[in-house]
Amino acid sequence: NVGEQITGYAHFRDSIVVPVCTPLRLRTAVALALLSGFCEEYFFRGVLNPECINLLGGHLGLFAGCFLFAFIHFGVVHRKNIYLIIVYIIAAYYFSAIYIVTESLFAAASCHAIYNFVVFRFIQSRYQAVHVAQSEELPPAEKLNQVSP
């Protein structure tokens, strides 16, 4: 059901992604984007994809590596959302294509890091006010315990 998948993604976004990304300072966002982009590309394009291709052959091995990229990112947490997994399979193919065409893990890692940074900043700009407002709200029990002057 598409409605359930959209609701499930919104819950995942609001309960995990937004709280992690919104408090990041610029320096931290840059460092996290670089670290995650380079580490993931080293693992997925540098180690996992070649192993999958050696084991399963060219196209099937590449697909397996891309599927594992998507599944490891969100499949464990949100495996029912097929649309999110498809988006990440496409992203994995994109990073794989950069690596294959340029023959440079650095190029793929740089693109991945830039992508991560843009996503962090987008989430911050879009959800910062919502996250701050929600964190300032007191639970109902605590509101009852406040004494008005």
Side-chain angles (χ1 to χ4, degrees), residues 67-111:
F67 177 81
L68 288 170
F69 174 85
F71 189 77
I72 288 170
H73 269 80
F74 292 109
V76 175
V77 174
H78 205 67
R79 65 184 169 271
K80 290 181 181 177
N81 192 330
I82 189 70
Y83 301 111
L84 192 59
I85 293 195
I86 290 170
V87 167
Y88 273 83
I89 288 172
I90 293 168
Y93 270 109
Y94 172 73
F95 296 133
S96 295
I98 292 169
Y99 176 59
I100 291 166
V101 168
T102 64
E103 297 180 0
S104 168
L105 200 52
F106 182 80
S110 296
C111 289

Side-chain angles (χ1 to χ4, degrees), residues 45-57:
R45 257 45 78 195
V47 176
L48 187 65
N49 273 8
E51 288 299 318
C52 288
I53 290 168
N54 286 338
L55 183 65
L56 301 171

